[in-house]
Amino acid sequence: MIEGRTFDDVLSDVHARADRMLPDSVVHVADLRMTSEGQLRSPDRPALRINDYARGQLSALLGVRWRSWFSNAISGEERADEINRRLSRTPGEMKIRAWKDDTGEAGGIARAFLSPKFTPIDDVRIFTRLGATMKGALDEYRFRDIEHTDSTSHYTAVHMEARDVRGDVHFPGFHLRNSEVGSAALTLDDFWLRLACLNGLLVESGGKRLLYRTHRAIDDDHLAAAMVIALSKLPERWNSVVEMLVRSRDAIVLHPDAAVAAILDTPEVPRALIEEAQTIVLRDDDRTRYGVVQAIT
C-alpha cells in the first residue's frame, strides 16, 4: 500500500496557504522607501520584510550587489539611504506580491516584485479546479512529496495501482510544478516511483510534457480544461513507459559506468554523485539500459 496524503488533505493545506496571501499591490517604484531595519514601505500598505527571492529581484532592478555591498560593516541607515536614492530615480510601476507576517515583525513579507501586467496562476486556483472537475479520479492518488521554496511549489502524486516491470514494481503518477511569483511556468510531468528503493523519476513520454503553460491570463474553465486534458493522458502514457522499461531490460550496455557518466555529465551534477551512480551500476551488475537508469535514480 502506497503511503501519502490524500487530495483532500493537500487541497486543505493549499487553501490555508492561500489565506496567508496579501492582496497584490501595484506601486510606483519611486514611491517605495527602505527603512533602516531593512523593511520596505509603500504608500498603501504597511512595512514589508523581504524574502531572499524578492531581494534578488530588487537587487537586479536597482543594480545592487546586496550581500557584498551591505555587509555588517554597513549600518542600516547607510543601506537605506543608498537603496532609497536608487528607488527615487527608478521610473515605472511594479506589482508586489506578499504574505502575511505571522511573526509580527512587519506588516507582511514581500514575495516578489513583478510587472504590473503579470497574471499569476496560483496553486489554489489549480487545486480548486481539479477538485471540482476530477475529484473522484484524484482519490486514486497519494501525494508523497510536497515542497515549497520562496519561488516555486512542487506536488508529487503517485497512483495507488502498481505497474509490474518483470517483477520490479513501479507506481506511476505526476509531478506538478508551479510558481506564484513568475520564476517558472506551470508544468505537469509524468512521474514514476520504484518500490524497491522508493526513488522517483520524472519522464517525458514521447518527448513531451503533459502540460507547460506560462503565467498569463486564463479563466477558470480554460484552466480546468487544460488540467483535465493533461491528466487524462496519463494512463496511455503510463502504458508507453512500461513498454519502454520492458524493452530497456533487453537492451545490453557494454560499459554501463561510461553510460552513467555520459548521461550525468552536466555542470549541474556534482562529480561525487556521478561516481556514486557508477559504483552502483557496477555493483548491481545490471548491464542493461534499465540497470543504468535505476542506478542513476
mmCIF file of all heavy atoms in Angstrom, residues 154-190:
data_model
loop_
_atom_site.group_PDB
_atom_site.id
_atom_site.type_symbol
_atom_site.label_atom_id
_atom_site.label_comp_id
_atom_site.label_asym_id
_atom_site.label_seq_id
_atom_site.Cartn_x
_atom_site.Cartn_y
_atom_site.Cartn_z
ATOM 1 N N HIS A 154 6.045 22.440 -5.479
ATOM 2 C CA HIS A 154 6.144 21.135 -6.137
ATOM 3 C C HIS A 154 5.214 20.148 -5.437
ATOM 4 O O HIS A 154 5.242 20.033 -4.208
ATOM 5 C CB HIS A 154 7.579 20.612 -6.081
ATOM 6 C CG HIS A 154 8.597 21.524 -6.689
ATOM 7 N ND1 HIS A 154 9.073 21.359 -7.969
ATOM 8 C CD2 HIS A 154 9.216 22.637 -6.200
ATOM 9 C CE1 HIS A 154 9.942 22.313 -8.233
ATOM 10 N NE2 HIS A 154 10.043 23.110 -7.185
ATOM 11 N N TYR A 155 4.424 19.438 -6.237
ATOM 12 C CA TYR A 155 3.492 18.439 -5.715
ATOM 13 C C TYR A 155 3.694 17.143 -6.500
ATOM 14 O O TYR A 155 3.508 17.121 -7.716
ATOM 15 C CB TYR A 155 2.047 18.909 -5.868
ATOM 16 C CG TYR A 155 1.746 20.232 -5.193
ATOM 17 C CD1 TYR A 155 1.939 21.433 -5.870
ATOM 18 C CD2 TYR A 155 1.267 20.279 -3.888
ATOM 19 C CE1 TYR A 155 1.672 22.647 -5.260
ATOM 20 C CE2 TYR A 155 0.984 21.491 -3.274
ATOM 21 C CZ TYR A 155 1.194 22.672 -3.960
ATOM 22 O OH TYR A 155 0.928 23.883 -3.354
ATOM 23 N N THR A 156 4.079 16.078 -5.810
ATOM 24 C CA THR A 156 4.324 14.791 -6.456
ATOM 25 C C THR A 156 3.305 13.778 -5.942
ATOM 26 O O THR A 156 3.239 13.518 -4.743
ATOM 27 C CB THR A 156 5.742 14.285 -6.169
ATOM 28 O OG1 THR A 156 6.689 15.257 -6.616
ATOM 29 C CG2 THR A 156 5.998 12.970 -6.898
ATOM 30 N N ALA A 157 2.511 13.242 -6.868
ATOM 31 C CA ALA A 157 1.458 12.284 -6.511
ATOM 32 C C ALA A 157 1.679 10.980 -7.269
ATOM 33 O O ALA A 157 2.099 10.985 -8.427
ATOM 34 C CB ALA A 157 0.086 12.859 -6.858
ATOM 35 N N VAL A 158 1.389 9.852 -6.605
ATOM 36 C CA VAL A 158 1.510 8.554 -7.261
ATOM 37 C C VAL A 158 0.169 7.834 -7.207
ATOM 38 O O VAL A 158 -0.607 7.971 -6.249
ATOM 39 C CB VAL A 158 2.610 7.682 -6.625
ATOM 40 C CG1 VAL A 158 3.977 8.303 -6.835
ATOM 41 C CG2 VAL A 158 2.361 7.474 -5.139
ATOM 42 N N HIS A 159 -0.107 7.072 -8.260
ATOM 43 C CA HIS A 159 -1.329 6.279 -8.349
ATOM 44 C C HIS A 159 -1.172 5.042 -7.481
ATOM 45 O O HIS A 159 -0.084 4.468 -7.382
ATOM 46 C CB HIS A 159 -1.583 5.896 -9.811
ATOM 47 C CG HIS A 159 -2.980 5.470 -10.082
ATOM 48 N ND1 HIS A 159 -3.386 4.152 -9.983
ATOM 49 C CD2 HIS A 159 -4.080 6.175 -10.449
ATOM 50 C CE1 HIS A 159 -4.668 4.068 -10.291
ATOM 51 N NE2 HIS A 159 -5.118 5.287 -10.569
ATOM 52 N N MET A 160 -2.245 4.622 -6.826
ATOM 53 C CA MET A 160 -2.144 3.502 -5.893
ATOM 54 C C MET A 160 -2.097 2.143 -6.579
ATOM 55 O O MET A 160 -1.837 1.127 -5.935
ATOM 56 C CB MET A 160 -3.305 3.560 -4.901
ATOM 57 C CG MET A 160 -3.184 4.712 -3.916
ATOM 58 S SD MET A 160 -4.402 4.645 -2.582
ATOM 59 C CE MET A 160 -5.912 4.984 -3.485
ATOM 60 N N GLU A 161 -2.327 2.100 -7.906
ATOM 61 C CA GLU A 161 -2.232 0.833 -8.629
ATOM 62 C C GLU A 161 -0.825 0.664 -9.183
ATOM 63 O O GLU A 161 -0.351 1.479 -9.979
ATOM 64 C CB GLU A 161 -3.235 0.787 -9.780
ATOM 65 C CG GLU A 161 -3.215 -0.523 -10.552
ATOM 66 C CD GLU A 161 -4.183 -0.533 -11.722
ATOM 67 O OE1 GLU A 161 -5.043 0.371 -11.775
ATOM 68 O OE2 GLU A 161 -4.072 -1.424 -12.588
ATOM 69 N N ALA A 162 -0.150 -0.406 -8.773
ATOM 70 C CA ALA A 162 1.225 -0.645 -9.182
ATOM 71 C C ALA A 162 1.294 -1.145 -10.623
ATOM 72 O O ALA A 162 0.338 -1.724 -11.150
ATOM 73 C CB ALA A 162 1.879 -1.666 -8.256
ATOM 74 N N ARG A 163 2.453 -0.923 -11.243
ATOM 75 C CA ARG A 163 2.762 -1.474 -12.561
ATOM 76 C C ARG A 163 3.968 -2.392 -12.413
ATOM 77 O O ARG A 163 4.971 -2.009 -11.809
ATOM 78 C CB ARG A 163 3.068 -0.356 -13.576
ATOM 79 C CG ARG A 163 1.947 0.649 -13.768
ATOM 80 C CD ARG A 163 0.674 0.000 -14.313
ATOM 81 N NE ARG A 163 -0.287 0.980 -14.790
ATOM 82 C CZ ARG A 163 -1.193 1.599 -14.045
ATOM 83 N NH1 ARG A 163 -1.247 1.348 -12.739
ATOM 84 N NH2 ARG A 163 -2.042 2.457 -14.593
ATOM 85 N N ASP A 164 3.844 -3.611 -12.964
ATOM 86 C CA ASP A 164 4.903 -4.599 -12.833
ATOM 87 C C ASP A 164 5.786 -4.606 -14.080
ATOM 88 O O ASP A 164 5.292 -4.735 -15.193
ATOM 89 C CB ASP A 164 4.299 -5.993 -12.636
ATOM 90 C CG ASP A 164 5.361 -7.032 -12.317
ATOM 91 O OD1 ASP A 164 6.010 -7.505 -13.261
ATOM 92 O OD2 ASP A 164 5.524 -7.373 -11.132
ATOM 93 N N VAL A 165 7.075 -4.431 -13.859
ATOM 94 C CA VAL A 165 8.040 -4.482 -14.956
ATOM 95 C C VAL A 165 8.931 -5.707 -14.726
ATOM 96 O O VAL A 165 9.997 -5.633 -14.137
ATOM 97 C CB VAL A 165 8.884 -3.201 -15.036
ATOM 98 C CG1 VAL A 165 9.845 -3.257 -16.223
ATOM 99 C CG2 VAL A 165 7.994 -1.972 -15.130
ATOM 100 N N ARG A 166 8.414 -6.848 -15.141
ATOM 101 C CA ARG A 166 9.127 -8.123 -14.962
ATOM 102 C C ARG A 166 9.563 -8.316 -13.519
ATOM 103 O O ARG A 166 10.723 -8.608 -13.221
ATOM 104 C CB ARG A 166 10.319 -8.209 -15.902
ATOM 105 C CG ARG A 166 9.932 -8.263 -17.376
ATOM 106 C CD ARG A 166 11.148 -8.500 -18.242
ATOM 107 N NE ARG A 166 10.802 -8.474 -19.660
ATOM 108 C CZ ARG A 166 11.703 -8.572 -20.632
ATOM 109 N NH1 ARG A 166 12.984 -8.716 -20.336
ATOM 110 N NH2 ARG A 166 11.329 -8.527 -21.901
ATOM 111 N N GLY A 167 8.627 -8.168 -12.631
ATOM 112 C CA GLY A 167 8.889 -8.392 -11.217
ATOM 113 C C GLY A 167 9.368 -7.187 -10.443
ATOM 114 O O GLY A 167 9.461 -7.229 -9.211
ATOM 115 N N ASP A 168 9.676 -6.100 -11.109
ATOM 116 C CA ASP A 168 10.105 -4.867 -10.447
ATOM 117 C C ASP A 168 8.903 -3.925 -10.407
ATOM 118 O O ASP A 168 8.392 -3.506 -11.445
ATOM 119 C CB ASP A 168 11.252 -4.234 -11.221
ATOM 120 C CG ASP A 168 12.051 -3.259 -10.369
ATOM 121 O OD1 ASP A 168 11.679 -3.031 -9.207
ATOM 122 O OD2 ASP A 168 13.052 -2.720 -10.872
ATOM 123 N N VAL A 169 8.455 -3.605 -9.214
ATOM 124 C CA VAL A 169 7.198 -2.882 -9.043
ATOM 125 C C VAL A 169 7.426 -1.371 -9.085
ATOM 126 O O VAL A 169 8.306 -0.836 -8.400
ATOM 127 C CB VAL A 169 6.520 -3.268 -7.712
ATOM 128 C CG1 VAL A 169 5.229 -2.474 -7.509
ATOM 129 C CG2 VAL A 169 6.222 -4.764 -7.703
ATOM 130 N N HIS A 170 6.626 -0.698 -9.896
ATOM 131 C CA HIS A 170 6.659 0.754 -10.011
ATOM 132 C C HIS A 170 5.249 1.311 -9.808
ATOM 133 O O HIS A 170 4.264 0.660 -10.143
ATOM 134 C CB HIS A 170 7.160 1.210 -11.400
ATOM 135 C CG HIS A 170 8.585 0.892 -11.668
ATOM 136 N ND1 HIS A 170 9.033 -0.396 -11.847
ATOM 137 C CD2 HIS A 170 9.672 1.700 -11.802
ATOM 138 C CE1 HIS A 170 10.335 -0.374 -12.086
ATOM 139 N NE2 HIS A 170 10.746 0.883 -12.061
ATOM 140 N N PHE A 171 5.200 2.536 -9.289
ATOM 141 C CA PHE A 171 3.930 3.247 -9.166
ATOM 142 C C PHE A 171 3.998 4.503 -10.026
ATOM 143 O O PHE A 171 4.888 5.343 -9.840
ATOM 144 C CB PHE A 171 3.654 3.631 -7.710
ATOM 145 C CG PHE A 171 3.293 2.471 -6.841
ATOM 146 C CD1 PHE A 171 4.285 1.730 -6.202
ATOM 147 C CD2 PHE A 171 1.970 2.087 -6.662
ATOM 148 C CE1 PHE A 171 3.957 0.654 -5.399
ATOM 149 C CE2 PHE A 171 1.636 1.009 -5.860
ATOM 150 C CZ PHE A 171 2.634 0.281 -5.228
ATOM 151 N N PRO A 172 3.085 4.657 -10.977
ATOM 152 C CA PRO A 172 3.097 5.848 -11.840
ATOM 153 C C PRO A 172 2.390 7.017 -11.157
ATOM 154 O O PRO A 172 1.634 6.835 -10.193
ATOM 155 C CB PRO A 172 2.315 5.384 -13.062
ATOM 156 C CG PRO A 172 1.314 4.414 -12.503
ATOM 157 C CD PRO A 172 2.017 3.711 -11.362
ATOM 158 N N GLY A 173 2.626 8.192 -11.659
ATOM 159 C CA GLY A 173 1.961 9.363 -11.094
ATOM 160 C C GLY A 173 2.293 10.609 -11.886
ATOM 161 O O GLY A 173 2.612 10.547 -13.061
ATOM 162 N N PHE A 174 2.215 11.756 -11.216
ATOM 163 C CA PHE A 174 2.533 13.023 -11.874
ATOM 164 C C PHE A 174 3.239 13.958 -10.907
ATOM 165 O O PHE A 174 3.103 13.839 -9.679
ATOM 166 C CB PHE A 174 1.275 13.692 -12.450
ATOM 167 C CG PHE A 174 0.261 14.112 -11.420
ATOM 168 C CD1 PHE A 174 0.346 15.341 -10.770
ATOM 169 C CD2 PHE A 174 -0.808 13.279 -11.093
ATOM 170 C CE1 PHE A 174 -0.591 15.735 -9.823
ATOM 171 C CE2 PHE A 174 -1.758 13.666 -10.150
ATOM 172 C CZ PHE A 174 -1.650 14.890 -9.515
ATOM 173 N N HIS A 175 3.990 14.874 -11.482
ATOM 174 C CA HIS A 175 4.674 15.911 -10.713
ATOM 175 C C HIS A 175 4.206 17.264 -11.239
ATOM 176 O O HIS A 175 4.344 17.558 -12.435
ATOM 177 C CB HIS A 175 6.195 15.796 -10.874
ATOM 178 C CG HIS A 175 6.958 16.909 -10.221
ATOM 179 N ND1 HIS A 175 7.322 16.893 -8.893
ATOM 180 C CD2 HIS A 175 7.430 18.093 -10.711
ATOM 181 C CE1 HIS A 175 7.977 18.005 -8.596
ATOM 182 N NE2 HIS A 175 8.050 18.753 -9.689
ATOM 183 N N LEU A 176 3.619 18.061 -10.361
ATOM 184 C CA LEU A 176 3.136 19.392 -10.713
ATOM 185 C C LEU A 176 4.089 20.420 -10.112
ATOM 186 O O LEU A 176 4.344 20.403 -8.908
ATOM 187 C CB LEU A 176 1.721 19.606 -10.192
ATOM 188 C CG LEU A 176 0.994 20.889 -10.604
ATOM 189 C CD1 LEU A 176 -0.521 20.667 -10.549
ATOM 190 C CD2 LEU A 176 1.356 22.085 -9.716
ATOM 191 N N ARG A 177 4.608 21.290 -10.978
ATOM 192 C CA ARG A 177 5.455 22.397 -10.519
ATOM 193 C C ARG A 177 4.777 23.708 -10.897
ATOM 194 O O ARG A 177 4.247 23.849 -11.985
ATOM 195 C CB ARG A 177 6.829 22.340 -11.181
ATOM 196 C CG ARG A 177 7.790 23.447 -10.701
ATOM 197 C CD ARG A 177 8.946 23.628 -11.660
ATOM 198 N NE ARG A 177 8.502 24.164 -12.940
ATOM 199 C CZ ARG A 177 9.316 24.391 -13.978
ATOM 200 N NH1 ARG A 177 10.583 24.107 -13.886
ATOM 201 N NH2 ARG A 177 8.831 24.893 -15.107
ATOM 202 N N ASN A 178 4.831 24.656 -9.968
ATOM 203 C CA ASN A 178 4.238 25.961 -10.247
ATOM 204 C C ASN A 178 5.056 27.037 -9.553
ATOM 205 O O ASN A 178 5.849 26.769 -8.644
ATOM 206 C CB ASN A 178 2.786 26.003 -9.742
ATOM 207 C CG ASN A 178 2.037 27.224 -10.250
ATOM 208 O OD1 ASN A 178 2.241 27.662 -11.385
ATOM 209 N ND2 ASN A 178 1.175 27.795 -9.428
ATOM 210 N N SER A 179 4.878 28.249 -10.023
ATOM 211 C CA SER A 179 5.473 29.404 -9.355
ATOM 212 C C SER A 179 4.439 30.515 -9.328
ATOM 213 O O SER A 179 3.986 30.960 -10.382
ATOM 214 C CB SER A 179 6.735 29.878 -10.079
ATOM 215 O OG SER A 179 7.201 31.082 -9.489
ATOM 216 N N GLU A 180 4.095 30.950 -8.135
ATOM 217 C CA GLU A 180 3.136 32.048 -7.985
ATOM 218 C C GLU A 180 3.803 33.404 -8.126
ATOM 219 O O GLU A 180 3.131 34.430 -8.059
ATOM 220 C CB GLU A 180 2.444 31.931 -6.632
ATOM 221 C CG GLU A 180 1.648 30.643 -6.477
ATOM 222 C CD GLU A 180 1.001 30.485 -5.115
ATOM 223 O OE1 GLU A 180 1.585 30.992 -4.119
ATOM 224 O OE2 GLU A 180 -0.061 29.864 -5.029
ATOM 225 N N VAL A 181 5.136 33.394 -8.316
ATOM 226 C CA VAL A 181 5.873 34.654 -8.420
ATOM 227 C C VAL A 181 6.633 34.760 -9.748
ATOM 228 O O VAL A 181 7.547 35.568 -9.891
ATOM 229 C CB VAL A 181 6.847 34.819 -7.226
ATOM 230 C CG1 VAL A 181 6.063 34.979 -5.935
ATOM 231 C CG2 VAL A 181 7.821 33.647 -7.138
ATOM 232 N N GLY A 182 6.267 33.934 -10.711
ATOM 233 C CA GLY A 182 6.777 34.096 -12.064
ATOM 234 C C GLY A 182 8.132 33.513 -12.361
ATOM 235 O O GLY A 182 8.673 33.724 -13.449
ATOM 236 N N SER A 183 8.719 32.743 -11.448
ATOM 237 C CA SER A 183 10.058 32.206 -11.708
ATOM 238 C C SER A 183 10.031 30.964 -12.583
ATOM 239 O O SER A 183 11.071 30.557 -13.121
ATOM 240 C CB SER A 183 10.770 31.874 -10.393
ATOM 241 O OG SER A 183 10.206 30.723 -9.788
ATOM 242 N N ALA A 184 8.872 30.330 -12.737
ATOM 243 C CA ALA A 184 8.757 29.110 -13.551
ATOM 244 C C ALA A 184 7.336 28.996 -14.065
ATOM 245 O O ALA A 184 6.386 29.506 -13.459
ATOM 246 C CB ALA A 184 9.123 27.873 -12.718
ATOM 247 N N ALA A 185 7.187 28.296 -15.189
ATOM 248 C CA ALA A 185 5.866 28.057 -15.752
ATOM 249 C C ALA A 185 5.142 26.973 -14.957
ATOM 250 O O ALA A 185 5.748 26.238 -14.176
ATOM 251 C CB ALA A 185 5.997 27.627 -17.213
ATOM 252 N N LEU A 186 3.838 26.893 -15.174
ATOM 253 C CA LEU A 186 3.056 25.781 -14.640
ATOM 254 C C LEU A 186 3.345 24.555 -15.511
ATOM 255 O O LEU A 186 3.135 24.595 -16.728
ATOM 256 C CB LEU A 186 1.565 26.129 -14.679
ATOM 257 C CG LEU A 186 0.580 24.965 -14.476
ATOM 258 C CD1 LEU A 186 0.781 24.319 -13.119
ATOM 259 C CD2 LEU A 186 -0.849 25.460 -14.640
ATOM 260 N N THR A 187 3.847 23.479 -14.902
ATOM 261 C CA THR A 187 4.169 22.283 -15.670
ATOM 262 C C THR A 187 3.632 21.041 -14.991
ATOM 263 O O THR A 187 3.507 20.980 -13.759
ATOM 264 C CB THR A 187 5.698 22.108 -15.852
ATOM 265 O OG1 THR A 187 6.314 21.977 -14.556
ATOM 266 C CG2 THR A 187 6.298 23.284 -16.589
ATOM 267 N N LEU A 188 3.300 20.056 -15.821
ATOM 268 C CA LEU A 188 2.938 18.720 -15.350
ATOM 269 C C LEU A 188 3.826 17.720 -16.073
ATOM 270 O O LEU A 188 3.989 17.797 -17.293
ATOM 271 C CB LEU A 188 1.467 18.410 -15.657
ATOM 272 C CG LEU A 188 0.435 18.673 -14.575
ATOM 273 C CD1 LEU A 188 -0.967 18.428 -15.122
ATOM 274 C CD2 LEU A 188 0.663 17.780 -13.360
ATOM 275 N N ASP A 189 4.409 16.793 -15.325
ATOM 276 C CA ASP A 189 5.269 15.765 -15.904
ATOM 277 C C ASP A 189 4.854 14.401 -15.370
ATOM 278 O O ASP A 189 4.352 14.277 -14.239
ATOM 279 C CB ASP A 189 6.733 16.015 -15.544
ATOM 280 C CG ASP A 189 7.295 17.246 -16.223
ATOM 281 O OD1 ASP A 189 7.490 17.200 -17.435
ATOM 282 O OD2 ASP A 189 7.533 18.247 -15.519
ATOM 283 N N ASP A 190 5.089 13.371 -16.183
ATOM 284 C CA ASP A 190 4.917 12.002 -15.709
ATOM 285 C C ASP A 190 5.945 11.721 -14.613
ATOM 286 O O ASP A 190 7.082 12.187 -14.671
ATOM 287 C CB ASP A 190 5.149 10.997 -16.844
ATOM 288 C CG ASP A 190 4.267 11.271 -18.041
ATOM 289 O OD1 ASP A 190 4.477 12.301 -18.719
ATOM 290 O OD2 ASP A 190 3.379 10.464 -18.301
#
